[in-house]
């Protein structure tokens, strides 16, 4: 099988066997994994399709016109997604992020949002329901998503310069339309809004300062993401990684920054606030964040699981195999209690800490050679 084989073939590797349901470690009655990390954050990919071809996620030469996307009948339908999400909430999940591919391409996504927004935690709390989008359809959909019950959005935007943006996402889509989507989301009250910029050295690092200037003082939190070796197709190399420390130095040289506390356990971003003349955080200017999976791994409190579009559960962004929950969902004899017990057993066996091991063993170690699942398949 040559390197350019369409990855989806890879993802049809047989799923991992479902573990036996045995009693195991819990905290407050909820499962914790082998590193005692709770399961509080579920990312649900609702489509493996996207209208962008970001080079770090869905390179055009692989995800081309002959690419075999998942047939619709293999995707989890909204009822199945809502049912399994309900079971995850019962087992500790408090935050659900809808991802893709590009989630707004999934037809009638508002219906799913409405169903998920109606879920409640065992103590009656609403979930933190959010969505990551490339912003291309946001201007049209922001209000209907808000009305359906979505609380927040995160928008991916890798530059303000159209030519640079095009080099990152490999399609002819104007930055202005993504900015219009962000404005529509702000107007609809889908906030606090976060904007994620993947920094790829040699392609868009010159956009760091223009982006910081643009979003400073707008209430929108701009985060810079280190270019990652996700999947098996983006041709990743360490030379194209710009360490977050360098990003912070670049901004700090023009707009002084001060470190801020993490907003929540398991938060992936390191927060930096814009400083006033006294060197204190000036909330009116806001903050930026850096997500440093390559140079400052944050596996220690990683509380995230990922559900693929066809119902496979992945325990790490860099995993190569997942657990097929769809077969259970489509088994009429399977009860929610049995689903919950299976999820517990899977999570308890989790030992994933890819980024931490990569930083210990180095990017060229054997660790990095496995056929990792594509980010476009399980969401970032
Ligand atoms: S590398 Fe895996 S375990 Fe580590 S933070 Fe990322 S998803 Fe979590």
């Amino acid at each position: 099988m040559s390197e350019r084989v369409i990855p989806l073939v890879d993802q049809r590797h047989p799923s991992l066997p479902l573990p036996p349901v045995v009693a195991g470690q819990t905290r407050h009655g909820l499962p914790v994994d082998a590193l005692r990390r709770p399961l509080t954050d579920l990312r649900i990919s609702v489509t493996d399709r996207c209208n962008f071809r970001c080079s770090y996620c869905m390179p055009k030469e692989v995800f081309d016109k002959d690419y075999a996307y998942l047939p619709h009948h293999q995707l989890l339908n909204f009822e199945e997604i809502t049912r399994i999400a309900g079971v995850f909430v019962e087992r500790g999940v408090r935050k659900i992020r809808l991802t893709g591919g590009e989630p707004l391409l999934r037809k009638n996504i508002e219906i799913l949002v409405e169903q998920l927004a109606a879920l409640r935690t065992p103590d009656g709390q609403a979930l933190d329901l959010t969505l990551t989008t490339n912003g291309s359809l946001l201007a049209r959909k922001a209000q209907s998503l808000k009305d359906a019950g979505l609380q927040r959005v995160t928008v991916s935007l890798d530059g303000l310069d159209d030519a640079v943006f095009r080099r990152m996402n490999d399609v002819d889509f104007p930055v202005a339309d993504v900015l219009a989507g962000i404005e529509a989301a702000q107007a609809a009250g889908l906030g606090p809004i976060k904007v994620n910029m993947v920094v790829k050295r040699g392609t868009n690092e010159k956009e760091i300062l223009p982006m910081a200037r643009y979003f400073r003082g707008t209430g929108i939190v701009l985060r810079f993401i280190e270019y990652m070796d996700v999947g098996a197709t983006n041709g990743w190399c360490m030379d194209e990684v710009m360490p977050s420390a360098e990003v912070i130095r670049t901004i700090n040289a023009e707009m002084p920054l001060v470190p801020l506390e993490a907003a929540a356990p398991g938060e992936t971003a390191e927060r930096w606030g814009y400083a006033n003349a006294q060197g204190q955080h000036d909330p009116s200017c806001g903050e930026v964040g850096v997500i440093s999976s390559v140079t400052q791994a944050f596996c220690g409190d990683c509380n995230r699981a990922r559900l693929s579009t066809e119902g496979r559960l992945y325990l790490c962004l860099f995993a190569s195999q997942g657990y097929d929950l769809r077969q259970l969902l489509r088994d009429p004899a399977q009860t929610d209690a049995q689903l919950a017990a299976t999820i517990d057993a899977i999570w308890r066996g989790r030992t994933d800490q890819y980024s931490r091991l990569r930083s210990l063993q180095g990017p060229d170690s054997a660790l990095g050679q496995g056929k990792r699942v594509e980010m476009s398949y399980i969401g970032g």
Side-chain angles (χ1 to χ4, degrees):
M1 191 187 291
S2 76
E3 271 309 308
R4 300 312 269 150
V5 162
I6 293 180
L8 192 59
V9 178
D10 295 337
Q11 279 135 9
R12 291 182 180 138
H13 279 185
S15 310
L16 291 165
L18 293 172
V21 174
V22 291
Q25 65 278 12
T26 60
R27 187 187 292 153
H28 315 307
L30 298 171
V32 291
D33 72 10
L35 304 177
R36 300 207 59 75
R37 299 168 294 186
L39 169 54
T40 58
D41 185 335
L42 179 66
R43 301 184 175 194
I44 303 176
S45 170
V46 296
T47 179
D48 61 343
R49 297 164 190 258
C50 187
N51 52 353
F52 283 9
R53 285 292 173 275
C54 302
S55 57
Y56 51 84
C57 176
M58 248 180 146
K60 194 179 260 182
E61 60 278 8
V62 176
F63 297 85
D64 58 15
K65 63 175 180 29
D66 304 320
Y67 187 84
Y69 291 100
L70 289 165
H72 196 74
H73 71 271
Q74 287 191 13
L75 307 189
L76 293 187
N77 62 39
F78 292 167
E79 287 63 38
E80 289 168 332
I81 293 174
T82 305
R83 180 184 172 203
I84 195 75
V87 176
F88 274 100
V89 171
E90 198 241 315
R91 301 316 297 145
V93 163
R94 296 293 171 264
K95 176 177 167 184
I96 289 182
R97 177 178 296 281
L98 297 178
T99 66
E102 170 48 42
L104 300 186
L105 288 176
R106 179 86 185 243
K107 212 156 161 262
N108 302 322
I109 182 94
E110 291 88 348
I111 295 175
L112 174 62
V113 168
E114 204 166 335
Q115 290 178 4
L116 294 173
L119 293 175
R120 290 289 176 272
T121 65
D123 56 1
Q125 304 299 311
L127 294 176
D128 177 8
L129 183 57
T130 182
L131 178 146
T132 301
T133 172
N134 63 23
S136 57
L137 301 167
L138 194 52
R140 244 187 288 159
K141 287 207 165 253
Q143 192 57 55
S144 59
L145 290 166
K146 177 68 182 178
D147 298 345
L150 190 70
Q151 286 153 10
R152 303 181 290 121
V153 287
T154 297
V155 181
S156 308
L157 179 61
D158 298 326
L160 293 174
D161 177 275
D162 274 320
V164 175
F165 185 51
R166 200 174 304 123
R167 276 211 300 280
M168 289 294 283
N169 66 33
D170 224 352
V171 290
D172 216 355
F173 195 88
V175 170
D177 290 7
V178 176
L179 295 176
I182 294 171
E183 275 165 38
Q186 240 180 343
L190 281 171
I193 296 173
K194 295 177 178 168
V195 168
N196 284 353
M197 172 179 167
V198 172
V199 180
K200 199 175 172 185
R201 194 193 289 285
T203 307
N204 68 337
E205 72 272 26
K206 291 200 174 33
E207 291 294 298
I208 292 169
L209 282 172
M211 287 277 281
R213 293 181 198 123
Y214 185 92
F215 288 108
R216 185 170 182 265
T218 61
I220 291 170
V221 178
L222 174 60
R223 290 112 58 92
F224 300 93
I225 302 181
E226 286 181 344
Y227 172 38
M228 294 181 284
D229 51 337
V230 286
T233 59
N234 67 6
W236 182 86
C237 70
M238 194 62 199
D239 302 345
E240 293 182 300
V241 175
M242 184 167 174
S244 293
E246 196 177 331
V247 172
I248 293 298
R249 279 200 302 276
T250 305
I251 300 170
N252 190 57
E254 179 182 316
M255 298 169 271
L257 296 168
V258 286
L260 299 175
E261 294 297 314
E267 179 170 26
T268 54
E270 185 189 275
R271 301 170 60 215
W272 291 82
Y274 288 110
N276 57 24
Q278 290 71 44
Q280 278 123 24
H281 179 212
D282 178 350
S284 70
C285 293
E287 60 183 88
V288 294
V290 285
I291 299 176
S292 323
S293 161
V294 179
T295 62
Q296 297 160 45
F298 37 79
C299 303
D301 54 10
C302 177
N303 50 15
R304 293 172 289 284
R306 291 170 168 84
L307 192 65
S308 77
T309 319
E310 67 193 303
R312 287 192 188 178
L313 184 64
Y314 291 82
L315 304 180
C316 174
L317 178 58
F318 299 90
S320 54
Q321 283 186 290
Y323 298 86
D324 181 1
L325 299 184
R326 184 186 61 196
Q327 61 168 324
L328 303 178
L329 279 168
R330 293 187 177 174
D331 171 358
Q334 192 71 205
T335 65
D336 285 4
Q338 289 167 321
L339 275 174
T342 300
I343 289 169
D344 279 16
I346 292 171
W347 188 256
R348 287 195 187 117
R350 179 189 188 229
T351 56
D352 298 73
Q353 45 178 342
Y354 176 88
S355 290
R356 183 171 166 275
L357 297 177
R358 183 210 307 111
S359 46
L360 292 174
Q361 298 172 18
D364 305 322
S365 73
L367 184 70
Q369 306 315 317
K371 272 237 179 278
R372 296 178 293 281
V373 64
E374 294 299 328
M375 185 161 74
S376 60
Y377 176 71
I378 58 167

